[in-house]
Amino acid sequence: MEIITFESKAYKELDNKITAIADYIFNYTEAESTNEDEIWVDSYEVCTFLKISEKTLQRLRVAGTIAYSNIRGRYFYKISEVKRMLEERLIKSNKENINDLINNHQLYVKERKNIRKDK
């Protein structure tokens, strides 16, 4: 292993540059307009904001009625798929609930980014 040392002033300058780059990347991705239909939400968010039970969501998955992705045991759904379920009246909910789902998901994403910045 090779050990490299340099002055604390140089380290601070390097740290500031890395932080500036990270801030630029985070701000650029936030500024990018994301299509809300392409947002992925998890089962908890879908059940909470659409006011349906996890069992109902599970039945829809098993029946092949709703498209989903399973990542490490967690299920994720695209907003477009949830909207389709509402339009086809497979889920009894209203437009206000889908807006709550989208808005609260965006708040959750911002919160997660802030937690990552603090680490």
Side-chain angles (χ1 to χ4, degrees), residues 64-96:
T65 310
I66 188 167
Y68 65 93
S69 289
N70 183 347
I71 302 172
R72 294 185 180 179
R74 290 183 63 195
Y75 296 99
F76 295 90
Y77 312 86
K78 279 189 174 182
I79 293 289
S80 60
E81 191 64 16
V82 175
K83 284 181 178 179
R84 183 186 63 79
M85 300 294 288
L86 290 170
E87 289 168 2
E88 293 178 8
R89 305 231 187 256
L90 297 171
I91 300 174
K92 293 180 182 176
S93 194
N94 58 31
K95 186 75 172 167
E96 187 177 300

Side-chain angles (χ1 to χ4, degrees), residues 12-49:
K12 288 178 184 176
E13 288 176 9
L14 179 63
D15 185 46
N16 289 339
K17 288 178 182 179
I18 292 172
T19 302
I21 292 168
D23 288 343
Y24 173 79
I25 291 170
F26 284 124
N27 291 334
Y28 178 75
T29 56
E30 285 177 11
E32 231 177 70
S33 61
T34 53
N35 182 0
E36 71 181 27
D37 287 344
E38 296 299 315
I39 296 172
W40 288 84
V41 293
D42 65 7
S43 296
Y44 174 78
E45 291 174 297
V46 172
C47 292
T48 302
F49 295 106

Side-chain angles (χ1 to χ4, degrees), residues 36 39 79 83 98-107:
E36 71 181 27
I39 296 172
I79 293 289
K83 284 181 178 179
I98 192 77
N99 290 335
D100 285 346
L101 174 64
I102 294 166
N103 293 334
N104 285 305
H105 175 73
Q106 290 169 346
L107 292 173

